[in-house]
Each structure stands twice: as C-alpha cells, then as structure tokens.
Amino acid sequence: MSNAGLLVIGSGPAGVAAAEAYRARQADHAVRILTADTDPPYQRPPLSKDFLRGDTDDSAMEISRPFETILKAQVDEIDVGQRVVTASGLRYEYDRLIIASGASPQPLPVPGGEKALSLRSFDHATRLRDAATSAKTAVVIGAGFIGCEAAASLAIRGLSVTLIAPDEVPQRKRLGEDAGVRLRRLVEATGARFAGNARVASIGDGTVQLEDGTTVAADLVLAATGVKPNAALAESAGITLQNGRIPVGPDMRTAVDGVWAAGDVAFAVNVDAGRALAVEHWGDAMDQGEVAGSSAAGDEAKWTGVPGFWTTIGDTDVKYHAWGDGYQNSRLIERDGGFTVWYESDGAVVGVLTCNADDDYEAGEELITAGKPPPVDMSQ
C-alpha cells in the first residue's frame, strides 16, 4: 500500500462516517473527502424543518476525528486502474476509494420547471428560507416526506401553502391509503392545503398551472419530486450498476478492487434482510459509511439492522422501519394520541409506521428482523 491513503467522494453522512471510521483504525494514513459542495459537512434533516422555519441557523455536522475536506471539487473521472480520481482538473491518488456521492434532485420536466427551488443542500435550504422571508404564497410539488415536512414548515412560517401530489393522499403507493390519510391530516393541521389528484402543467411568474386548468398563486415553488443516485461516474469507471445504483456486498465492497460504496448511491446487501436494498435515509447512510470505512481499513464489518428514520411534520413525529421493497398487506391500528400501521408479506412483518406509539416502533424492528408474524390480525 502507498501513502495515498483513503479518498472519499461525497461529504454527506455516508462519506463523513466512512472517513471517521477509517481514521479511527488507520491513524497514520491520509484521509481526504472530495465534495462538489460549497459548505463543510452539514446535517440535512434540519433543512426542511428547524432551519427552514428559522428556528436555528446551525446545521453543522459534528466531526469527531480529523480528515481533510476539499470543497468545490467536482469529480470528473475515476480511473480504477491507476487508482486516481480527477476533480476540478486536479488528480488525487488513492489506495482505497469510497464512493458516497449521494443523489441529486431531478429537474421538473414542465415548462418553467427551472423556476422551482430544490431542497437537498445547505445552499438550497438557504435560498428557500430567504425566498420564504418575502413570500406570501408557496406551492410544494411532491408529497414525499421532504415535501410534507417543507410544506408544514412553510405554513408554520405563515405562508399560504398548497401541497400538490398526483395521488389522493401522500405516499399512497409506498405506505398505503390509511397511512396516507393520516399524513395528509398532519400536513393540513399546520395550515397547508393538500391538493391531491393533481399534476403540474407549467410554472409561470407567481403562478403554478395544473393540468386541469387550475391556477395556484405561488410567490415561491419548491419541487420535492425525488432524487436520482449520482452513479454515472462509477458506471463510466467500469462498475456495472444495478437498479441505477452501485451494487455492493454487506461490507460495502464493490466488484472493483479497492473500491467501496455507501449511502444513497449504493445497492447494498443487508445481512438481516438477506438481500440487497436501496435506502435513502440519513441514519442508514451513516451506518453504511461506517461499515465501508471500517472494511476499507481492514476490519470485518457488515451492514445489519432494519432501515428506518424519523420525520417531523409540524410538531408531530412519525417513525418508520421497513425493508423498503414492498409489502402485501397493511393494517392501521389506533393508538392513544396516534396510530401504528403494520406491513406484512408472506405472514411476516416487513414494515411498521408509528405516530406516538414508540412501543410499537421498537417491537416492530425486532419483529421485522426476526421475520415474525404481525402482532395484530391483518385480515380485518
């Protein structure tokens, strides 16, 4: 091994966790992160909540171990044969490479779509918050968790907000009708208006035109319509993608010698699931990054545990554990001040969504891991 050390592409949770895990095991090796971002590593979850509401300006990520972060370094090429990465015209050698390049928002494919703001980076969040300062009306397009969080935060700021989605309720395909109804109620409780069964035709100056001819006033427009993994460079380097992501084993190792991948860009085998999963959750990106960094440093490490996350819509927390690759049946159970939705396939729990039902959330993780039946009758 040369003295080139570890090179990480990406300064999100996977990249930072990988750098710290490697540094903890190889204290004398060089550890560098290349990132196209203009800001030092930051927490993304607050951007659609506390930061957007103006409750905090602090989103910096805590760094426990030293490494070098090179900002504004747009990666141009990965040469796995020479073990060199070219970024912004400069060459960086490596002994071990971890690709944690994350994902990017997709442009809104309608006339005027370029006028819509995004919410992925700290810079995006700053622009959105600045725009909200002088705006009176806002349209949020897309009712995934980021869309629901942002719509609620903008409404709490006092804007007249319309959340536009193609289905009758948020995330109907992913979480089911009953869960979607509850998410819609949480969004509406903040004062935002939910417009389901609606599609955007175009974005004008101060307006959003829907396909049914309806015009909605919008001093600002946020497109929360999904992301695409940043895997093109890996593919150009000779890595065969799977489902648009970089396939890796439970140790985050790719099929190319000396290269690992983690986070949104990875299609990783989870030991407990017994199969590869695509996840886009902050905590799981950190877990995968730690595995990648540990493995690259020579330790035995594998990705285990059920993927999951928390979201806050208004002042209400919703928690979710799931393998994330579908379910056959679901059932909502009322809880005191909240609810639980159980998801089942082939007689085993594969997911749980909870609101003010922490006992179910914790029990759900154990049931999912063990592949046990749901604790409720799913036929009702």
Side-chain angles (χ1 to χ4, degrees), residues 27-304:
D28 297 329
H29 290 192
V31 179
R32 298 183 182 90
I33 287 181
L34 300 178
T35 177
D37 215 317
T38 58
D39 296 284
Y42 50 84
Q43 300 277 351
R44 191 170 289 125
L47 299 184
S48 58
K49 299 184 278 290
D50 296 349
F51 183 85
L52 179 53
R53 296 174 195 171
D55 294 337
T56 183
D57 290 324
D58 183 17
S59 62
M61 194 184 301
E62 292 186 9
I63 306 298
S64 60
R65 297 182 183 276
F67 53 81
E68 182 182 5
T69 302
I70 303 172
L71 303 176
K72 303 178 184 178
Q74 181 68 50
V75 175
D76 305 308
E77 182 184 12
I78 301 172
D79 186 332
V80 297
Q82 296 296 318
R83 299 203 176 197
V84 170
V85 171
T86 303
S88 298
L90 299 177
R91 289 165 51 88
Y92 299 89
E93 296 182 353
Y94 68 84
D95 293 314
R96 302 283 187 267
L97 175 67
I98 297 177
I99 303 174
S101 46
S104 296
Q106 293 306 286
L108 199 61
V110 300
E114 71 282 356
K115 298 176 182 179
L117 299 174
S118 298
L119 183 51
R120 182 70 178 179
S121 67
F122 184 77
D123 182 59
H124 289 159
T126 301
R127 293 183 187 182
L128 179 61
R129 191 171 75 168
D130 289 347
T133 301
S134 58
K136 294 183 179 179
T137 58
V139 166
V140 178
I141 305 169
F145 284 112
I146 295 298
C148 289
E149 292 170 0
S153 294
L154 290 169
I156 289 171
R157 286 189 63 127
L159 280 70
S160 176
V161 180
T162 302
L163 176 59
I164 296 175
D167 295 321
E168 291 183 4
V169 296
Q171 303 197 59
R172 181 178 182 179
K173 294 178 182 177
R174 180 183 186 185
L175 300 175
E177 180 77 20
D178 292 339
V181 168
R182 297 308 175 97
L183 293 178
R184 182 183 65 193
R185 291 177 184 173
L186 293 177
V187 171
E188 292 174 337
T190 67
R193 181 174 74 92
F194 182 80
N197 290 326
R199 295 182 181 276
V200 173
S202 64
I203 299 175
D205 293 329
T207 62
V208 171
Q209 187 82 19
L210 303 184
E211 289 184 351
D212 66 2
T214 302
T215 297
V216 184
D219 295 327
L220 72 82
V221 180
L222 170 63
T225 49
V227 296
K228 180 180 179 181
N230 297 321
L233 281 168
E235 187 174 30
S236 298
I239 297 175
T240 301
L241 303 185
Q242 188 173 355
N243 296 330
R245 290 174 162 83
I246 302 171
V248 295
D251 59 357
M252 303 295 126
R253 190 188 297 265
T254 74
V256 176
D257 186 43
V259 181
W260 288 254
D264 292 357
V265 76
F267 189 54
V269 174
N270 180 287
V271 172
D272 293 324
R275 58 188 181 276
L277 304 173
V279 297
E280 296 176 352
H281 311 325
W282 182 269
D284 295 296
M286 292 182 65
D287 291 343
Q288 289 186 2
E290 183 173 357
V291 170
S294 300
S295 176
D299 277 7
E300 292 288 335
K302 294 183 179 180
W303 182 38
T304 62

Side-chain angles (χ1 to χ4, degrees), residues 310-333:
W310 295 14
T311 182
T312 303
I313 301 173
D315 59 0
T316 303
D317 291 336
V318 177
K319 304 178 183 181
Y320 182 60
H321 269 310
W323 293 132
D325 50 3
Y327 61 92
Q328 294 172 345
N329 303 293
S330 67
R331 185 184 174 194
L332 185 144
I333 304 295

